[in-house]
Amino acid sequence: MTAQNEAEENQNQALPANYAPLQLEAEIREFWIKNDTRNKLESVEKNAKGILGYVEGPPTLNGIPHIGHARGRVMKDIRYRWKTMQGYYMPFWAGWDCQGLPVELEVEKLLGVRNKRESIEKFGMERFIEECKKAIMRYHKMWLEADNMLGVFINQDKAYWTYKDQYIEREWKYLKAAWEQNLLEEGHYVVAYCPGCQTSLSSAEVGYEGSYKEVEDPSLYFKFKIKGTKNEFFLIWTTMPFTIITDTMLAVQPNAEYVKVRVDQEIWIMVRQRVEPVMAELEIARYEITESMSGKSLEGTAYEYPLKDIVPKQGENETKHSLVHKVIGEDFVDVDTATGVVHLSPGNGEDDFWAAQRRGVPIYAPFDDEVKFTNDAGIFTGVFARDADMLVVEELRNHNAFVKVQKVKHEYPTCWRSHHKLVWLARKEYFLRTDKINSKVLEAAEKIEYFFEEPKNRFLGFLKEGKPWCISRERIWGTPLPMWICEKCGNKRLIASKMELVESAQETVPENFELHKPWVDKITVKCDKCRGIMRREDFVLDTWHNSGAAPYARFTDEEFGKFIPTDFLTEGIDQTRGWANSLLLEHIILTGKPAGPYRAFLFQGLTQDAKGRKMSKSLGNVVETSKLLEKNSADLCRFYMMRKCSPIDFMNFDMQELNRRPYQVLSTLYHLSRFFLQNATFDEFKAEVYTLDWAFKAAKLQPVDLWLLSKLQDKIEEYTIKLDRCEFNGAVAVLDDFVIETLSRLYVPMIRKELWTDEPETFERRQTVYSLLHHTLKTVTMLFNPVTPYLSEALYQKIYRQLEPSLPESVNLAAWPNVDEKIRNQNLEEQFDVLLKVVSIAYAARNQGKLKRRWPLSKVIVVAPEKIMQSLKTLEALLLELTNVKAVDYAVVVPEYVGGENWVSSQEGDITVFISGKRDEKLLGEGIMRDLARRVQALRKEMGFVPTEVLESAHIAELDTESMGLLEPYLVEMADLVRARKVYLQKSRSEVEADWHLSELDGKKIFINIH
Ligand SMILES: [Zn+2]
Ligand SMILES: [Zn+2]
């Protein structure tokens, strides 16, 4: 190393006077890269005391990482760093969710096309797939950057990608397991379909947070004439007039009372209890109930479907089944709303569909992929379903079936992605019959630890619904459904590996072959039943199936055995319907056993803006991680996000708060550490010699030291327990309290003056204090590491590894602090509690008498029960010092002599403290002298004077006149204390040409010069 390098190196080691986290974090980031620290953590597997599995919940590479993501990633990182320090190995490896609709929609936008059909026509599938890959790589870069800035120590080199062939092949194994257990089925079902995205959605997706939106729809009353009558009608209501095109039956509630209502020349049939409100709504004042009947008696009644002339297929439908356009009885008919007569469109509604299925009534669903009516819908051919609403109303008018139309605002499910109103459609789909294994799913879910009741109930509640899982999607960029079906005989074959597929292929497999559309669609295989041609079913898989396959698909068989089930996972609360769900279902299908792939799952609350609003592009309030961290410290953000609220709470992220308490805590830790380092360096403290053991043996420990050590044990225990329970806010509060209250406000002020001297006689005592500060601050630095890894690494490198070069090379490789029961002292802690309480009462008394804490006073009297006094007596020296008085008296009752006006007092509970308020000029002068002497001592050290060196002189300038007068008699004593030949007082700095150092006394500026 050259001299210059050495100088630079030394400079890097130093802790600058100001806590400048951005600079420090950049430096540590470099340190980690230079030392390959992240990868070295992989090597702990060899000596690990245990292995904890992990599967990364893969972020979708379709959005810019924002603060909500950051919060979750920090929780993961905390657990990783903490468990690693505890000696466990965890495969904390990244993973990326790459496929699916969001990516496709973005590429469509980029290519400037409106939908799937257009993109294929204009660009072809190969190009489309290439664009999808490019799109995810753009986001991947941003995620790497955000993780890097945030200090998330996830292993990026070992990331899994859900679109890679080897992943897809292993995902197919889940389907194979389902197929073999008869859990994978094709069928017509009514599914929620998004006309914008042109694909069906799973019921989990329909229930997403925020997918229900207030929308305006027509509120239409219409009437169907009863066959064979002249003027009798069923009165019906709908908000989706387009479904009248696919009307198939009417349903009534069999157990309800229905009536005939005369309105003008017509008779309308409806449920009795709704007559009044409906007539009011229709503004019909004159009506009369003429007859009553049960719902049951209406069953089988045929009605004239009014639009047969313009939808000829509806006439044909009547010939296919005798129940078409007749009334049936169904319990699901709600008689508390509308008219109690429901029109059924099995092609457009789930209840309707099942009502038809149960009776064998054919499903009439004349829609194409864009939810436009097909040729089977007569004059409506080519019209988009929801655009047909008003056309239908017009036609009802023309066909004497119209009653009244208004507008209604109601909550209606929209697509979580594109926000189109969803349409329910009967389609051919593939399903995982998860309803059949629901009891296993619930059994598995009950065994999982969720840490908090509320998210647990939400998750279990959702799982209880136990609906079949529609896994087929009519899209391009996804895992292909590996199902080949024979054109001739309908025989099906599930091919769950690339090798099997290549071997069975009838054509030569091209070189650029990958397990995606369109390549995989070009492969046909021969039917082993009839020698016919088998082609692939044109579906890709739900992207939740894709990511839910991660526990098996991202590992090798060996790793799967080692890392699954994982002991812990965490994701956002929205994942109750997402990843947490698909992981569980797929694992149970794969293994056939009622157990999940994770033993514990923490659902995190979502993150909102400072005002509690959801973060969204449209509001412009999204806080992007990288942008935030360009100007703000990662440690502060991490500390803030964990400290602010419970992990399950919705967090309102307020950037203003970063620089308040979080800054105070971290900067206090920084300055305490720097205070220790400076003093220890000055006294040539040797960490390997002056250990805690040495301090115990040398018997130089004071009660205050033992108290600090005992408190530290409490905090280690409390903090670790809270981390274990995922009470991160409570855990961080423990550190916060220890640094600010215990260390900074109590311990250091109590020992500080012992370090101000540099006398050889007190050398051992000073080394004792250093050994204690060293032990305590090093321990605290390690406890902070999971939350604030940059600050911890910086202090560890710049202080602790300098003092003990034999320490592991990164704080992340250091061992987690354990509680040492031997140095725990409950009794002493209780004595200190009493002492600190009395001191705070004494301060209150001083406040009342306007007596500055700095003023030494002659006497304090503590009036308290015997037990408290006994406890105080053992710590009397500290009591005198902290209250800054010369003597203490104890009493059980208030002594008579405190009646005079020279006493001030304050009381709390059974303790009263009296302080003599008499100003004693001698004491005041001595007090000022001692204060100034300490400042001079500190300056001596700062300027590097060796302890034995005698100063030429010390100058104090710009003290107020009163203080100067009080101090005058003590100048000789002061000169002796600070080892100067003489101390001078100056009214103004200008009286002496010197290098003045700013200091303060009672909040006023004073200046000191020594030479
Ligand atoms: Zn959509
Ligand atoms: Zn066949």
Side-chain angles (χ1 to χ4, degrees):
M1 197 181 273
T2 67
Q4 200 190 342
N5 278 347
E6 203 162 11
E8 269 170 28
E9 191 76 6
N10 284 339
Q11 208 150 38
N12 287 340
Q13 310 289 5
L15 286 176
N18 290 319
Y19 172 47
L22 279 184
Q23 213 176 306
L24 178 145
E25 286 166 18
E27 202 183 302
I28 294 301
R29 226 168 264 133
E30 225 171 90
F31 170 87
W32 283 336
I33 292 169
K34 201 172 118 197
N35 292 280
D36 201 22
T37 308
R38 163 57 239 179
N39 285 333
K40 280 178 185 149
L41 295 191
E42 289 296 329
S43 68
V44 306
E45 189 178 4
K46 290 195 296 287
N47 303 312
K49 76 171 179 194
I51 284 176
L52 304 173
Y54 181 78
V55 191
E56 165 70 346
T60 308
L61 290 179
N62 181 244
I64 299 168
H66 58 68
I67 195 68
H69 298 123
R71 186 182 173 206
R73 292 182 92 65
V74 168
M75 290 181 203
K76 295 174 180 179
D77 190 58
I78 284 180
R79 182 142 177 124
Y80 174 62
R81 291 182 190 258
W82 164 48
K83 286 292 169 190
T84 306
M85 289 173 81
Q86 276 192 329
Y88 293 98
Y89 173 76
M90 213 172 114
F92 192 45
W93 304 342
W96 305 111
D97 193 8
C98 309
Q99 303 183 131
L101 201 53
V103 183
E104 290 195 39
L105 293 181
E106 177 167 331
V107 169
E108 282 177 8
K109 216 157 120 196
L110 209 82
L111 295 175
V113 296
R114 279 169 306 176
N115 55 38
K116 181 175 70 178
R117 186 176 41 75
E118 235 181 81
S119 61
I120 298 170
E121 278 168 9
K122 281 197 179 160
F123 298 97
M125 267 194 223
E126 274 103 336
R127 167 81 193 280
F128 189 78
I129 296 264
E130 283 317 305
E131 291 297 331
C132 286
K133 287 179 188 166
K134 275 191 219 158
I136 60 172
M137 291 318 289
R138 280 193 294 272
Y139 288 104
H140 180 242
K141 239 180 103 190
M142 298 181 206
W143 277 87
L144 286 189
E145 173 66 10
D147 277 352
N148 182 41
M149 296 292 285
L150 196 57
V152 171
F153 243 19
I154 200 160
N155 190 335
Q156 304 287 2
D157 300 336
K158 292 203 168 198
Y160 70 90
W161 301 77
T162 59
Y163 79 94
K164 298 258 166 126
D165 277 5
Q166 61 268 41
Y167 185 96
I168 286 175
E169 267 192 293
R170 289 178 76 86
E171 181 184 2
W172 281 354
K173 295 289 186 286
Y174 285 90
L175 292 174
K176 194 170 182 200
W179 183 238
E180 284 166 2
Q181 296 168 77
N182 293 320
L183 294 174
L184 176 61
E185 281 180 10
E186 176 208 326
H188 276 87
Y189 282 90
V190 170
V191 290
Y193 190 89
C194 172
C197 306
Q198 292 180 23
T199 186
S200 41
L201 275 68
S202 69
S203 54
E205 285 171 304
V206 177
Y208 277 167
E209 199 89 39
S211 65
Y212 276 77
K213 291 230 177 325
E214 192 179 75
V215 301
E216 198 176 75
D217 271 323
S219 162
L220 171 69
Y221 283 95
F222 61 102
K223 58 194 182 185
F224 281 170
K225 191 153 98 183
I226 296 175
K227 223 173 189 168
T229 69
K230 254 172 71 186
N231 62 347
E232 289 189 16
F233 296 85
F234 284 106
L235 184 64
I236 315 153
W237 178 79
T238 184
T239 56
M240 293 188 281
F242 80 90
T243 61
I244 294 172
I245 297 166
T246 55
D247 172 82
T248 304
M249 292 178 288
L250 291 180
V252 293
Q253 170 61 256
N255 302 316
E257 184 190 0
Y258 284 77
V259 289
K260 290 186 177 173
V261 185
R262 175 179 292 280
V263 178
D264 293 334
Q265 299 308 307
E266 293 181 353
I267 302 285
W268 295 350
I269 296 178
M270 64 184 296
V271 74
R272 173 167 221 138
Q273 69 196 74
R274 291 290 304 162
V275 174
E276 239 178 88
V278 169
M279 288 304 146
E281 206 186 323
L282 295 176
E283 294 171 86
I284 294 170
R286 293 181 48 158
Y287 62 89
E288 184 193 349
I289 294 175
T290 60
E291 206 182 318
S292 157
M293 68 218 78
S294 70
K296 183 125 193 69
S297 67
L298 292 168
E299 286 177 26
T301 308
Y303 60 91
E304 281 177 11
Y305 177 75
L307 307 182
K308 249 188 270 181
D309 58 331
I310 52 174
V311 187
K313 189 79 179 172
Q314 278 282 27
E316 217 177 283
N317 289 344
E318 287 178 9
T319 65
K320 287 185 187 156
H321 196 283
S322 63
L323 281 178
V324 173
H325 299 143
K326 282 196 182 145
V327 177
I328 60 168
E330 275 290 349
D331 280 333
F332 66 71
V333 175
D334 180 5
V335 291
D336 294 324
T337 59
T339 68
V341 182
V342 178
H343 106 89
L344 299 183
S345 288
N348 293 106
E350 208 174 348
D351 289 335
D352 319 38
F353 174 83
W354 288 110
Q357 280 290 88
R358 280 195 290 276
R359 294 169 174 84
V361 175
I363 310 297
Y364 172 48
F367 299 100
D368 67 12
D369 281 353
E370 291 169 43
V371 203
K372 289 180 179 163
F373 284 100
T374 62
N375 288 335
D376 279 350
I379 66 157
F380 297 104
T381 303
V383 179
F384 170 57
R386 296 286 344 210
D387 291 345
D389 281 342
M390 292 325 281
L391 298 174
V392 169
V393 171
E394 271 321 296
E395 289 303 334
L396 291 176
R397 239 188 257 273
N398 297 340
H399 290 80
N400 186 32
F402 173 82
V403 176
K404 182 169 184 162
V405 69
Q406 287 168 296
K407 292 245 184 301
V408 63
K409 279 189 178 159
H410 62 159
E411 296 279 302
Y412 187 84
T414 59
C415 173
W416 62 280
R417 260 286 145 202
S418 67
H419 305 297
H420 284 85
K421 283 194 230 174
L422 298 178
V423 180
W424 268 256
L425 282 182
R427 294 181 67 89
K428 189 184 99 165
E429 302 284 356
Y430 275 80
F431 285 80
L432 284 176
R433 291 296 305 275
T434 42
D435 52 324
K436 286 190 188 169
I437 53 165
N438 196 235
S439 62
K440 271 189 202 170
V441 172
L442 294 177
E443 191 188 332
E446 287 285 353
K447 287 187 279 199
I448 292 160
E449 168 68 53
Y450 301 95
F451 306 99
F452 300 92
E453 275 306 300
E454 190 204 331
K456 172 187 180 174
N457 295 337
R458 182 161 163 180
F459 188 44
L460 294 183
F462 168 69
L463 291 174
K464 276 190 189 114
E465 288 175 20
K467 289 190 180 169
W469 178 6
C470 173
I471 55 161
S472 48
R473 296 289 182 274
E474 294 91 270
R475 301 294 316 187
I476 303 165
W477 178 233
T479 299
L481 177 76
M483 184 68 80
W484 271 256
I485 186 161
C486 175
E487 279 180 344
K488 257 165 83 187
C489 75
N491 178 31
K492 281 180 181 154
R493 180 170 162 198
L494 187 124
I495 300 179
S497 86
K498 193 172 184 174
M499 202 211 266
E500 187 187 345
L501 183 59
V502 170
E503 280 171 5
S504 316
Q506 303 227 70
E507 35 295 281
T508 345
V509 176
E511 228 171 89
N512 64 350
F513 176 76
E514 62 176 271
L515 297 182
H516 275 118
K517 287 166 78 59
W519 301 282
V520 73
D521 290 335
K522 290 178 186 151
I523 293 188
T524 61
V525 298
K526 199 167 264 171
C527 175
D528 54 8
K529 291 230 171 89
C530 73
R531 316 300 295 161
I533 296 171
M534 300 183 94
R535 291 182 196 283
R536 197 184 72 84
E537 287 280 58
D538 191 16
F539 289 111
V540 296
L541 295 174
D542 181 1
T543 173
W544 291 110
H545 188 278
N546 190 214
S547 56
Y552 183 76
R554 76 99 58 236
F555 290 125
T556 63
D557 283 350
E558 192 204 334
E559 289 166 339
F560 177 72
K562 205 159 62 171
F563 298 139
I564 303 295
T566 72
D567 77 313
F568 175 84
L569 293 178
T570 180
E571 295 296 330
I573 184 73
D574 47 341
Q575 300 300 330
T576 43
R577 289 170 169 271
W579 199 54
N581 172 46
S582 61
L583 278 181
L584 185 63
L585 297 177
E586 291 185 54
H587 193 71
I588 291 170
I589 289 171
L590 184 73
T591 61
K593 292 186 190 125
Y598 46 85
R599 293 202 187 92
F601 206 110
L602 170 69
F603 290 105
Q604 313 141 9
L606 303 182
T607 303
Q608 313 171 125
D609 74 3
K611 293 179 188 144
R613 295 172 308 177
K614 203 179 162 181
M615 290 193 182
S616 73
K617 263 188 204 158
S618 56
L619 282 173
N621 59 353
V622 181
V623 180
E624 292 175 15
T625 310
S626 297
K627 275 195 189 147
L628 176 78
L629 296 180
E630 267 170 31
K631 295 201 175 90
N632 292 279
S633 146
D635 276 342
L636 283 177
C637 288
R638 293 170 65 116
F639 185 92
Y640 168 68
M641 289 191 290
M642 295 304 108
R643 179 79 178 86
K644 166 108 180 171
C645 60
S646 159
I648 63 160
D649 286 344
F650 277 52
M651 183 180 88
N652 297 349
F653 184 87
D654 185 350
M655 223 179 299
Q656 304 303 317
E657 291 174 341
L658 284 179
N659 288 317
R660 293 178 195 158
R661 185 73 178 185
Y663 183 84
Q664 191 194 350
V665 175
L666 300 196
S667 122
T668 302
L669 175 60
Y670 180 87
H671 288 293
L672 286 174
S673 308
R674 191 166 175 274
F675 165 78
F676 158 69
L677 180 66
Q678 281 188 328
N679 283 283
T681 309
F682 183 83
D683 264 334
E684 293 179 346
F685 168 70
K686 291 187 180 60
E688 272 132 350
V689 176
Y690 302 112
T691 61
L692 211 50
D693 275 350
W694 168 86
F696 272 96
K697 282 184 195 130
K700 296 283 178 196
L701 288 166
Q702 301 282 336
V704 66
D705 307 324
L706 296 168
W707 167 75
L708 179 72
L709 287 175
S710 184
K711 281 288 244 195
L712 179 62
Q713 307 316 305
D714 297 347
K715 300 297 171 181
I716 296 171
E717 180 176 88
E718 209 184 327
Y719 180 61
T720 310
I721 288 174
K722 284 189 191 300
L723 282 185
D724 201 41
R725 293 186 186 144
C726 293
E727 291 166 14
F728 301 125
N729 55 327
V732 174
V734 171
L735 298 184
D736 175 327
D737 180 70
F738 188 71
V739 167
I740 299 287
E741 297 302 326
T742 310
L743 269 173
S744 168
R745 295 223 168 111
L746 296 173
Y747 182 74
V748 169
M750 286 194 251
I751 53 87
R752 178 175 276 147
K753 65 183 178 315
E754 300 194 69
L755 305 184
W756 269 331
T757 80
D758 47 20
E759 282 148 23
E761 327 56 286
T762 56
F763 178 78
E764 283 210 338
R765 172 58 192 153
R766 293 203 300 278
Q767 298 301 332
T768 306
V769 171
Y770 299 141
S771 79
L772 212 79
L773 281 175
H774 176 255
H775 173 78
T776 306
L777 287 167
K778 187 171 88 175
T779 303
V780 169
T781 297
M782 297 203 281
L783 296 177
F784 264 89
N785 183 48
V787 183
T788 57
Y790 290 107
L791 179 58
S792 287
E793 188 77 278
L795 298 177
Y796 183 83
Q797 297 303 333
K798 290 163 188 267
I799 301 177
Y800 307 108
R801 277 200 85 220
Q802 299 305 312
L803 291 171
E804 292 175 87
S806 62
L807 287 178
E809 69 165 66
S810 162
V811 65
N812 296 288
L813 292 160
W816 191 249
N818 282 323
V819 177
D820 185 348
E821 290 297 342
K822 288 199 306 297
I823 51 178
R824 231 173 170 172
N825 189 337
Q826 203 55 47
N827 209 10
L828 183 65
E829 284 192 42
E830 278 162 22
Q831 286 173 358
F832 264 82
D833 287 344
V834 170
L835 168 73
L836 296 171
K837 193 170 173 194
V838 169
V839 169
S840 102
I841 300 171
Y843 286 163
R846 272 183 180 263
N847 268 347
Q848 260 176 26
K850 300 204 165 57
L851 303 165
K852 295 201 170 82
R853 286 188 200 177
R854 197 180 54 70
W855 294 353
L857 296 171
S858 57
K859 184 169 270 184
V860 62
I861 303 162
V862 181
V863 181
E866 189 66 33
K867 216 182 116 196
I868 288 178
M869 288 192 302
Q870 288 312 320
S871 167
L872 276 179
K873 278 177 188 165
T874 61
L875 299 171
E876 189 171 298
L878 273 172
L879 175 65
L880 292 176
E881 178 167 340
L882 292 172
T883 52
N884 198 14
V885 293
K886 297 293 169 193
V888 57
D889 272 359
Y890 304 98
V892 183
V893 292
V894 182
E896 276 174 30
Y897 62 86
V898 299
E901 48 193 73
N902 277 333
W903 295 89
V904 291
S905 72
S906 182
Q907 185 195 357
E908 209 188 307
D910 50 6
I911 304 174
T912 310
V913 173
F914 292 86
I915 292 186
S916 158
K918 210 164 88 187
R919 261 170 64 114
D920 178 328
E921 306 227 321
K922 262 176 77 181
L923 284 180
L924 284 176
E926 190 193 334
I928 293 172
M929 185 273 284
R930 288 200 181 278
D931 268 348
L932 290 173
R934 278 170 205 159
R935 283 166 176 73
V936 173
Q937 295 281 36
L939 192 58
R940 269 187 75 118
K941 276 192 171 184
E942 219 174 277
M943 293 175 68
F945 285 96
V946 293
T948 48
E949 197 172 341
V950 176
L951 299 175
E952 193 49 45
S953 65
H955 294 261
I956 315 286
E958 298 183 18
L959 268 179
D960 60 86
T961 326
E962 195 201 352
S963 300
M964 276 173 75
L966 291 168
L967 181 58
E968 200 66 57
Y970 294 94
L971 288 180
V972 177
E973 194 182 336
M974 180 168 170
D976 192 39
L977 261 179
V978 301
R979 279 177 225 190
R981 290 190 204 284
K982 188 153 188 201
V983 178
Y984 300 90
L985 295 182
Q986 256 79 40
K987 268 212 163 79
S988 151
R989 272 175 291 168
S990 57
E991 290 172 20
V992 176
E993 183 72 27
D995 190 6
W996 291 102
H997 294 263
L998 175 66
S999 187
E1000 58 85 36
L1001 194 71
D1002 287 342
K1004 283 182 217 138
K1005 285 180 184 168
I1006 58 158
F1007 297 88
I1008 304 175
N1009 161 263
I1010 56 174
H1011 61 272

